[in-house]
Amino acid sequence: MPAYRFSWEAFDEDTVRSLAGALGCPAGTNTLEECRAYLGSRVPRPRPEFVRDCKEILLRTWLPQYAGLKGIVDQLIEAGVGPMRVPNSARGYLEYVKKTRNTKTLQTVISRAMARFGDQDRRQPEDDDGGEFVKGFSILKPREQRVDGRKPHEYQEEAWQRLDKEFALSQSIHTFEGLLVMPTGSGKTYTAVTWLLKNVINQRMRVLWLAHTHELLTQAAAEFQALCGMVRPLDKLVRIRVVSSVYCAATQIDPADDVVVASIASLARRPDITENWLRADSKRFVVIDEAHRAPAKSYKDLIERLKKRKPYHLLGITATPTRTLEIERPVLTGLFGGKTISQVTIRTLIEENVLARPHLVTVKTDADVEQGVTRDELRYYERFGEPSETWLDRIAHMSNRNEVIVGHYLDHRERYGPTLIFAINVLHAALLTERLKQAGVSAEYVASYRPDNTQGLPSEIIDGFREGRLDVLVNVQMMTEGVDVPAIQTVMLTRPTSSEILVRQMIGRALRGKKMGGTDKAYLVSFEDHWKQFRDWESPFDLVPDIVKESVLEGGIKTPPEVIDISEVIPWSLIREVAGVLASQPTGEVGVFEAIPHGWYILGNGNDHEGTSKIVPVYEHQRVCWEALIDHLKDQRPGTVDMDRSDFGYEEFFSDCDYPWPSKHDVALVINQFAAGGTFPEYRDFEERRQCDPHQVAREIRDGAFPPPDTKRLIEERYTDLARAIYSDLRAYRRAIDDAIYDLDYPEESKRPKRAIPVFQPRSDEQLTPGPAHDLDNLMRDMLNEGKRILGLAGELPYSGQGCVTWTRRLVKGWYGIAYVEPTEPQGFGIIKINRLLDSPDVTADTLRFLLWHEYLHLYLKQAHTAAFREWERKWLGVVDAERFLDNLNERFGVQYW
């Protein structure tokens, strides 16, 4: 692919000497030529990691004199990076870069500027050196492009045939939409780009290819450039533009561009430009890479604008038709017309030897990677969602952790074969390589520079690994894509990440099967650290459930279920989230302890001796819903449950569940486990929670009539590690117990919310005369008119609109109605649910209008049952009759009216 032929010759003496010195240039190296040679041997071409480590030197030496500094700042502003105040002088541009956080965006922009500055002659050599530089804009002649020698597989030809058929149909219905589903390692980009060039570009249409990361954009643009020779006629000029913070700005898009490969973020910031591009003519074909992200607002907005005009053409490409963290298949497929044009599964490609069978191995390092984290590092994480460079560097230098990595490889080197290790940073790569060499392993590393004064061009090192002269290659993201080494049998993940894209790129290096010159099995080894607060970083395999499903799971993966410590398993991020939502509801003051789950389900893979398990947190009010779902599954035969329809279980069994709700992802996991093997989860009670629950302790104190010394001893015994995690000191814990005792003595004043329990098979004496008998939307309109009079408002009361007040699916015990308040929503906006029990001719419309008034006041006032709330509530005509009716129902049905 196109590459810059880089040299340090263009850089001035001060820059060269300063950078060479920072990399350990020997003291005896005196001449400028010697320094350039040394620098060239350590840094064949500047990459983002090099800029990261040398930013301060570049600010002092090269950047002040670089004529393109304004262009660097323009790209940073386009990306939304830095102070975001446009400077107007050379000094201002330099100051802007100084104040910009040392992010991957900044590093990439500067490294590309350095590559252009040091480009010798813009030649395109036959071999790249292991990285890639795709031009931001190129005009190519198909006749002058090299012929691509790749031979398509049968499944790719089948995909082209199906796309051809859909494209032909679109000529008559003026709409093309659908998904192309192909797993990691199957050549999604090659398949799509080949078809687009032969069918779309050749029909004088234009392509807009959208993605969300720099890596995906680079990969797609490189394929368009490499395959451009397929365009006809051969003398046609093909304009290919890449739009992102690193390449061209959105303002540079030209109507004459044949292919625009753009980051969704760049276009989302300039909807006017996107609108003009879509409006220009009807020959626009939009492709969304990683289409499972399309339900995000930025994508949805663009898709909606596209669909407002016909004809339109929309293709989504994804490895997983469901999102990683939640089941949204109906939303996803709806955006693409509810249609999957072509799909091939991982299982099919494994059986056809196109992909290697993944063998997953997780190794616990026991490294406390959160130890020593500073307040600044935590703030960095909270803002940017990833550990800072200083935090990652500290992990990279944990000697015990590195010994686990090296030791594991040494224990399994015979079966692991050619092994690719992804390190945290350049220094980590050098450390691991040195330790492997000391153990007699033929190992080397490729990185943006060589900090250990050793020689090694990336292209030569990669060739050595490809040709079998090296057993292990350690690298820092240089081989996530674009480098072809079919013989890799093992990938070892040593760098923490929560990026699905990065995990797929890394493990994809080992998934090439025998038909593609690879192996029949691929060992994917994840080194998992001890994360207490940020558990999303602990298990990268959780990000690729489609690959896990088709994998052989090997040793050292999890602690056996019998000794699981739930306080170490349930993510504190979940607890913080639940506590925040509970506190935002107007039903009363809620202690954070209510956010602690009551137990958990253990999901296995049907092969317990392998030690794999997944923990699903469960709250007490959810248990009946889970049990109803599991009972339903027990009545089914495994083969009759469609794993692709696993979202059905959520609406059917959990729609009436009170907050906190189980995640759709967890429900799907349970259903999919049954569908795959017919096994059911095992429930474990969180005994420690019950023991230290302030309300449980309060009941024991009141019912047991403990004398004061015994009461003191009981409270101290129950102040367990879990209690300490919630209550900062014993005094705070005692205060919570005292409040719980008060609630027991004065239940009418209790502010502890009651959770509704759905009744799946109510007895006849638990029901009123069956309905339906009432129209909630009409009753809501009546209530709003009366409420406007009570509140003395001239205009209409604010309200979410039709459909925002609903019946529960079935009878629930716990409340007659509930209002779910969103703190960010305006007054009067939110969801109101009314107990299905009341949809009966035995309940008057006046009673229901009052109940709606009661719940609407929660949305309008955003208050609990305060004095002000009660004052407005009692202004309702007929309040006494309605309350009497509801209170009498409470005696009969055990339903609490708040």
Side-chain angles (χ1 to χ4, degrees):
M1 61 185 65
Y4 293 117
R5 204 161 68 94
F6 179 81
S7 168
W8 287 100
E9 291 294 327
F11 290 80
D12 66 284
E13 181 173 356
D14 188 24
T15 299
V16 171
R17 287 188 180 276
S18 297
L19 291 173
L23 295 180
C25 184
T29 306
N30 296 318
T31 69
L32 178 59
E33 289 71 21
E34 289 175 328
C35 288
R36 281 206 174 98
Y38 178 87
L39 187 56
S41 69
R42 300 300 182 273
V43 189
R45 190 167 68 197
R47 296 186 181 278
E49 295 84 1
F50 171 78
V51 174
R52 177 195 65 203
D53 295 339
C54 298
K55 178 187 175 186
E56 296 303 319
I57 296 174
L58 294 170
L59 282 167
R60 190 177 70 249
T61 58
W62 179 66
L63 284 170
Q65 57 182 309
Y66 175 50
L69 185 57
K70 179 180 182 300
I72 289 177
V73 173
D74 288 344
Q75 290 182 68
L76 295 175
I77 292 174
E78 172 74 17
V81 173
M84 298 306 293
R85 292 188 296 275
V86 181
N88 55 14
S89 66
R91 178 178 294 181
Y93 298 136
L94 187 65
E95 195 64 25
Y96 191 99
V97 177
K98 282 182 180 179
K99 292 180 178 178
T100 299
R101 187 171 61 91
N102 198 356
T103 63
K104 183 67 177 290
T105 299
L106 174 73
Q107 297 156 17
T108 304
V109 169
I110 294 178
S111 67
R112 288 182 57 81
M114 294 181 72
R116 290 191 296 271
F117 187 77
D119 178 21
Q120 292 185 60
D121 53 11
R122 301 269 173 154
R123 279 174 41 188
Q124 295 181 9
E126 291 296 314
D127 295 311
D128 198 3
D129 67 358
E132 59 187 340
F133 275 84
V134 172
K135 294 180 180 179
F137 175 66
S138 56
I139 301 178
L140 304 178
K141 271 190 179 178
R143 189 186 303 278
E144 298 175 358
Q145 305 309 305
R146 289 181 295 179
V147 176
D148 186 82
R150 283 172 285 184
K151 290 189 181 351
H153 295 279
E154 186 177 333
Y155 66 88
Q156 291 173 316
E157 293 178 333
E158 183 178 339
W160 292 333
Q161 291 170 8
R162 294 188 178 187
L163 287 165
D164 286 345
K165 182 178 178 181
E166 195 67 32
F167 194 54
L169 177 63
S170 72
Q171 307 304 307
S172 58
I173 65 173
H174 307 299
T175 298
F176 180 103
E177 55 186 352
L179 286 167
L180 174 63
V181 181
M182 298 176 66
T184 300
S186 62
K188 296 189 302 296
T189 308
Y190 166 78
T191 304
V193 169
T194 298
W195 183 81
L196 290 167
L197 289 171
K198 286 184 174 181
N199 295 273
V200 176
I201 299 300
N202 280 349
Q203 291 202 23
R204 302 185 182 278
M205 296 179 69
R206 309 188 194 282
V207 171
L208 172 61
W209 181 292
L210 295 171
H212 69 285
T213 70
H214 166 76
E215 291 78 12
L216 291 172
L217 295 175
T218 302
Q219 183 179 3
E223 287 286 24
F224 276 110
Q225 292 175 0
L227 297 168
C228 186
M230 297 178 175
V231 175
R232 297 293 183 273
L234 288 172
D235 58 353
K236 170 183 168 63
L237 295 179
V238 181
R239 297 166 56 97
I240 302 174
R241 187 182 303 278
V242 188
V243 175
S244 76
S245 60
V246 178
Y247 295 101
C248 301
T251 53
Q252 294 174 258
I253 296 176
D254 191 290
D257 293 338
D258 296 286
V259 177
V260 176
V261 180
S263 84
I264 186 64
S266 293
L267 296 192
R269 280 189 288 269
R270 293 302 304 268
D272 55 326
I273 292 175
T274 309
E275 185 65 28
N276 289 337
W277 192 90
L278 294 173
R279 190 189 305 124
D281 63 51
S282 61
K283 295 185 175 182
R284 302 298 192 209
F285 198 107
V286 176
V287 181
I288 296 180
D289 199 358
E290 297 297 317
H292 58 281
R293 295 179 178 270
K297 185 178 186 302
S298 54
Y299 283 110
K300 285 174 67 177
D301 289 348
L302 187 144
I303 291 172
E304 288 171 2
R305 290 202 299 274
L306 173 68
K307 290 187 174 183
K308 284 180 180 176
R309 52 181 59 85
K310 280 193 175 183
Y312 67 82
H313 307 82
L314 175 66
L315 176 66
I317 309 171
T318 181
T320 50
T322 54
R323 303 183 80 189
T324 299
L325 297 179
E326 55 183 327
I327 304 302
E328 287 188 346
R329 188 181 180 96
V331 176
L332 174 64
T333 55
L335 291 171
F336 295 92
K339 186 184 305 178
T340 298
I341 297 172
S342 180
Q343 179 170 4
V344 63
T345 65
I346 293 178
R347 181 175 300 175
T348 297
L349 297 186
I350 291 173
E351 291 171 351
E352 294 179 356
N353 292 318
V354 174
L355 295 182
R357 170 76 65 181
H359 287 240
L360 302 190
V361 181
T362 61
V363 181
K364 294 293 185 182
T365 68
D366 293 327
D368 186 357
V369 291
E370 296 178 20
Q371 185 178 7
V373 174
T374 66
R375 184 172 298 177
D376 285 343
E377 288 170 341
L378 286 175
R379 279 199 292 263
Y380 183 101
Y381 186 95
E382 290 168 359
R383 182 177 179 187
F384 302 108
E386 61 184 14
S388 65
E389 296 296 339
T390 57
W391 189 350
L392 288 173
D393 193 60
R394 193 163 54 248
I395 298 173
H397 282 80
M398 289 182 170
S399 57
N400 290 343
R401 183 181 188 272
N402 291 338
E403 285 302 314
V404 171
I405 295 167
V406 173
H408 180 80
Y409 170 77
L410 294 175
D411 290 341
H412 302 278
R413 63 187 299 182
E414 292 302 322
R415 69 169 177 156
Y416 280 178
T419 298
L420 180 64
I421 299 178
F422 287 94
I424 293 173
N425 55 28
V426 176
L427 287 172
H428 190 224
L431 286 170
L432 290 177
T433 302
E434 179 61 26
R435 179 66 186 85
L436 287 165
K437 286 180 176 179
Q438 290 172 0
V441 178
S442 176
E444 196 43 271
Y445 73 96
V446 288
S448 58
Y449 64 98
R450 310 279 294 183
D452 53 1
N453 297 327
T454 58
Q455 299 286 336
L457 290 172
S459 57
E460 295 176 357
I461 293 171
I462 292 170
D463 283 343
F465 184 52
R466 184 186 290 115
E467 295 165 8
R469 298 193 299 272
L470 293 173
D471 296 325
V472 176
L473 182 63
V474 186
N475 84 107
V476 187
Q477 277 189 262
M478 290 181 68
M479 291 191 58
T480 52
E481 57 190 58
V483 179
D484 186 20
V485 186
I488 294 173
Q489 180 155 321
T490 299
V491 163
M492 298 174 69
L493 313 180
T494 75
R495 53 165 294 156
T497 182
S498 62
S499 166
E500 176 193 349
I501 293 298
L502 184 55
V503 171
R504 289 188 182 278
Q505 288 175 339
M506 290 190 292
I507 66 179
R509 308 313 302 161
L511 289 179
R512 182 168 289 195
K514 283 191 170 181
K515 267 192 183 176
M516 300 177 71
T519 59
D520 60 349
K521 63 174 64 172
Y523 292 100
L524 311 177
V525 186
S526 171
F527 292 89
E528 298 187 355
D529 305 309
H530 182 56
W531 295 85
K532 294 178 182 176
Q533 298 184 65
F534 309 106
R535 300 188 65 86
D536 285 349
W537 290 75
E538 187 169 66
S539 301
F541 290 150
D542 289 348
L543 301 171
V544 287
D546 55 322
I547 291 175
V548 172
K549 186 173 68 175
E550 302 301 334
S551 298
V552 176
L553 300 161
E554 302 216 349
I557 296 178
K558 297 287 182 184
T559 305
E562 290 72 24
V563 294
I564 287 177
D565 179 359
I566 193 65
S567 64
E568 291 294 317
V569 173
I570 291 180
W572 292 107
S573 58
L574 167 69
I575 293 171
R576 288 196 300 272
E577 176 190 351
V578 171
V581 176
L582 288 175
S584 73
Q585 297 305 306
T587 51
E589 298 173 359
V590 180
V592 70
F593 198 89
E594 294 297 318
I596 305 295
H598 294 75
W600 70 97
Y601 280 117
I602 299 173
L603 300 183
N605 69 340
N607 199 0
D608 291 340
H609 72 273
E610 306 231 326
T612 59
S613 58
K614 160 73 177 172
I615 301 302
V616 175
V618 177
Y619 292 86
E620 187 61 36
H621 68 279
Q622 299 171 352
R623 282 284 302 280
V624 66
C625 301
W626 280 111
E627 290 168 358
L629 169 63
I630 292 170
D631 287 341
H632 171 77
L633 291 175
K634 287 179 179 178
D635 293 334
Q636 313 298 311
R637 287 181 291 108
T640 64
V641 177
D642 184 357
M643 296 175 70
D644 290 335
R645 294 290 308 280
S646 57
D647 55 303
F648 88 91
Y650 199 87
E651 284 302 312
E652 176 66 24
F653 296 97
F654 293 91
S655 61
D656 295 334
C657 187
D658 215 337
Y659 190 87
W661 303 291
S663 76
K664 294 182 178 180
H665 179 62
D666 286 342
V667 174
L669 284 176
V670 172
I671 297 171
N672 286 350
Q673 174 173 295
F674 167 76
T679 58
F680 297 98
E682 177 186 358
Y683 181 78
R684 296 293 181 89
D685 187 63
F686 192 178
E687 179 62 19
E688 186 180 357
R689 183 200 194 281
R690 192 185 66 80
Q691 288 293 320
C692 65
D693 185 345
H695 288 84
Q696 172 66 24
V697 177
R699 279 190 293 271
E700 292 182 35
I701 291 173
R702 194 186 69 168
D703 297 343
F706 292 92
D710 291 342
T711 299
K712 178 176 178 292
R713 190 182 311 114
L714 175 68
I715 293 173
E716 290 173 349
E717 288 175 355
R718 300 297 177 83
Y719 189 49
T720 64
D721 289 343
L722 177 61
R724 288 186 178 89
I726 304 301
Y727 302 100
S728 57
D729 53 39
L730 186 60
R731 174 176 293 182
Y733 184 55
R734 287 203 64 141
R735 190 181 305 119
I737 294 171
D738 290 339
D739 289 343
I741 292 173
Y742 188 90
D743 286 347
L744 291 173
D745 291 338
Y746 303 96
E748 68 279 4
E749 295 185 31
S750 174
K751 295 181 179 180
R752 187 187 187 196
K754 297 175 177 61
R755 301 283 164 234
I757 306 295
V759 180
F760 284 85
Q761 293 181 334
R763 301 188 304 270
S764 58
D765 61 349
E766 292 181 318
Q767 302 179 75
L768 296 168
T769 304
H774 300 284
D775 186 324
L776 278 181
D777 286 319
N778 286 336
L779 292 172
M780 190 70 182
R781 282 191 288 271
D782 294 343
M783 181 280 296
L784 290 172
N785 287 330
E786 179 62 13
K788 180 175 65 173
R789 183 193 64 78
I790 293 173
L791 293 169
L793 298 180
E796 299 295 323
L797 281 176
Y799 172 54
S800 304
Q802 188 169 3
C804 290
V805 55
T806 63
W807 297 106
T808 59
R809 183 182 288 262
R810 51 180 53 84
L811 182 154
V812 298
K813 291 189 176 182
W815 39 252
Y816 287 129
I818 191 170
Y820 291 107
V821 177
E822 282 288 344
T824 58
E825 290 286 340
Q827 279 182 299
F829 284 73
I831 299 294
I832 294 175
K833 279 192 174 184
I834 302 298
N835 196 328
R836 172 67 65 183
L837 170 75
L838 302 181
D839 190 13
S840 165
D842 299 339
V843 180
T844 66
D846 286 341
T847 298
L848 286 171
R849 279 190 283 264
F850 165 72
L851 181 58
L852 290 170
W853 169 244
H854 174 99
E855 300 304 334
Y856 178 79
L857 279 177
H858 283 309
L859 300 179
Y860 185 80
L861 301 175
K862 294 198 172 185
Q863 294 178 9
H865 297 150
T866 62
F869 179 96
R870 292 301 188 191
E871 181 180 352
W872 287 111
E873 178 193 45
R874 300 194 186 288
K875 291 181 182 291
W876 186 266
L877 293 176
V879 58
V880 174
D881 292 337
E883 285 188 332
R884 182 187 303 114
F885 180 86
L886 293 172
D887 286 341
N888 288 333
L889 281 183
N890 179 37
E891 291 180 2
R892 176 179 172 187
F893 297 109
V895 180
Q896 176 65 44
Y897 170 61
W898 290 353

